[in-house]
Amino acid sequence: MALGLGTRLIAARSGGPVIPGEPYLTVRHLHKRFGRFEALRDVSLTVNAGEFVCFLGPSGCGKTTLLRAIAGLDQASAGRIDQGGRDITYLPPAQRDFGIVFQSYALFPNLTVAQNIAYGLHGREWPKARREDRVHELLDLVSLASHAHKYPAEISGGQQQRVALARALAPEPNLLLLDEPLSSLDAVVRQILRQELRSLQRRLGITTIMVTHDQEEAMSVADRILVMSNGRVEQMGTPEEIYRRPASAFIADFIGRSSDFEAVVEGDSLRATTGHRIPAATGLKDGTALRVFLRPEDVILGPDAERRRGFMSMQVTALEYLGPVCRLTLENGRLDLEADASPDEVRSLDAYPGAALSVALPAERLILFPL
């Protein structure tokens, strides 16, 4: 009997049940070498059942290699991968329990939408009646029932993405792997589909890993984000943890927008290399050299800034209108900052290019990393 799409407790191919919230996929000390190049360096992580995890990082960081190692498409050089309590490190892809959607979708141009979805449903486990029921179920799920008899060239890129997703889900895998599935779509369609994808994942409760280079995409859909750099894991945490409590200067610089400068600790203040003194009781030893980051939405402007100790006057040198937010570029000597303000706040402060503006850097929002 086919398992329902909404089933939250599913029998895993490894033999045991998949229990939401319990560890389902574990990677331990994984290495992957291509000749002398080490693409993955001692990578360890755990993904819980039903969780949506994004692998995020710059090009060449190893995120796609890690996904391919989990799928068995690139075999690990060292380390171990367990899925559902089973060691799958060196199993071929056909013996693993996953569905995958590639960046190119890889649809068969000579097969209809329905035939593409049904492609992997064969053998005694999938008699004709069950196969047809499953295809109809998935066509309804991805809102493509009226396109069942069309060919890939006859539907849009967003619809092709839905077909590829339905095909990956067809054999009822317990793990869904997505390799930048939205990157070839235009911005508006990508934003719509990523929300559809997240909604579908929640409905199915399927453990999902998605590779992306798009920070906004990762922040909007992931339960947790794995940030990678140079083949290593820099940090794994919720979007809020990654954004607000970055584990390294690389993450603070890579995730979101921020201003940064170097400074040294002087009592209850920081002395920036630009010469500016910024009140901040860090508890660190005097003379400690730091790299300091500050998010643009945390910069305090106008009268609110003047109520803070150590506020300064800065000149507005540029104004970027971003719809609900305006981004100001501020300058005082060699200190440059970015600050976000609403359009109403910009008007009330008269914060247009050339204006002088009171600015404060809240100590509680400074992100500090020793040099």
Side-chain angles (χ1 to χ4, degrees), residues 249 252-253 257-263 272-274 290-295 334-338 361 367 369 371:
D253 190 41
R257 296 290 290 262
S258 60
S259 304
D260 70 287
F261 53 89
E262 293 184 5
T273 54
T274 58
L290 301 170
R291 189 176 178 191
V292 183
F293 291 85
L294 181 64
R295 303 295 188 187
R334 292 184 293 120
L335 181 63
D336 297 313
L337 297 175
E338 286 186 340
L361 282 60
I367 305 170
F369 295 100
L371 291 172

Side-chain angles (χ1 to χ4, degrees), residues 43 128 224 283 346:
V43 171
K128 183 179 179 181
R224 288 191 297 158
V346 169

Side-chain angles (χ1 to χ4, degrees), residues 99-114:
I100 191 165
V101 178
F102 296 102
Q103 182 176 349
S104 64
Y105 309 149
L107 300 178
F108 298 104
N110 60 321
L111 300 183
T112 65
V113 166

Side-chain angles (χ1 to χ4, degrees), residues 260-280:
D260 70 287
F261 53 89
E262 293 184 5
V264 295
V265 177
E266 287 186 359
D268 62 354
S269 299
L270 302 177
R271 174 70 68 180
T273 54
T274 58
H276 298 82
R277 191 176 183 87
I278 301 156

Side-chain angles (χ1 to χ4, degrees), residues 3-213:
L3 292 172
L5 285 170
T7 301
R8 302 291 299 183
L9 183 61
I10 305 171
R13 294 182 191 176
S14 55
V18 176
I19 303 174
E22 293 294 318
Y24 176 64
L25 181 77
T26 304
V27 176
R28 296 187 182 91
H29 307 296
L30 203 70
H31 294 258
K32 176 59 184 177
R33 301 177 187 88
F34 296 98
R36 294 184 178 181
F37 174 67
E38 192 167 21
L40 297 177
R41 307 178 184 186
D42 198 27
V43 171
S44 296
L45 65 121
T46 298
V47 178
N48 295 324
E51 192 174 26
F52 196 129
V53 171
C54 280
F55 293 171
L56 178 65
S59 296
C61 71
K63 56 187 184 293
T64 294
T65 301
L66 178 56
L67 187 85
R68 289 176 64 86
I70 292 169
L73 300 173
D74 285 330
Q75 207 168 75
S77 302
R80 177 168 171 151
I81 305 171
D82 288 305
Q83 180 184 359
R86 181 176 63 148
D87 182 358
I88 64 167
T89 312
Y90 300 110
L91 288 180
Q95 294 180 24
R96 303 188 187 207
D97 178 12
F98 70 91
I100 191 165
V101 178
F102 296 102
Q103 182 176 349
S104 64
Y105 309 149
L107 300 178
F108 298 104
N110 60 321
L111 300 183
T112 65
V113 166
Q115 289 168 339
N116 265 282
I117 294 173
Y119 183 79
L121 306 181
H122 50 76
R124 286 184 297 178
E125 185 182 357
W126 292 99
K128 183 179 179 181
R130 184 187 179 199
R131 183 170 64 248
E132 290 178 350
D133 286 347
R134 182 62 172 166
V135 171
H136 289 313
E137 191 176 26
L138 287 162
L139 284 167
D140 288 339
L141 185 72
V142 297
S143 303
L144 289 176
S146 62
H147 300 279
H149 300 295
K150 293 182 180 179
Y151 291 90
E154 298 175 320
I155 59 177
S156 70
Q159 290 168 334
Q160 289 178 31
Q161 190 268 353
R162 291 188 180 100
V163 176
L165 180 60
R167 184 178 62 183
L169 292 170
E172 297 174 340
N174 285 306
L175 177 65
L176 179 62
L177 304 177
L178 307 171
D179 187 7
E180 303 209 43
L182 308 179
S183 62
S184 62
L185 303 172
D186 65 62
V188 174
V189 175
R190 188 165 65 242
Q191 186 170 10
I192 293 170
L193 285 182
R194 75 187 184 204
Q195 294 307 321
E196 288 184 5
L197 178 62
R198 180 51 167 151
S199 177
L200 179 62
Q201 187 272 336
R202 283 176 172 159
R203 178 180 170 185
L204 301 182
I206 187 171
T207 309
T208 301
I209 297 174
M210 182 168 75
V211 166
T212 182
H213 64 275

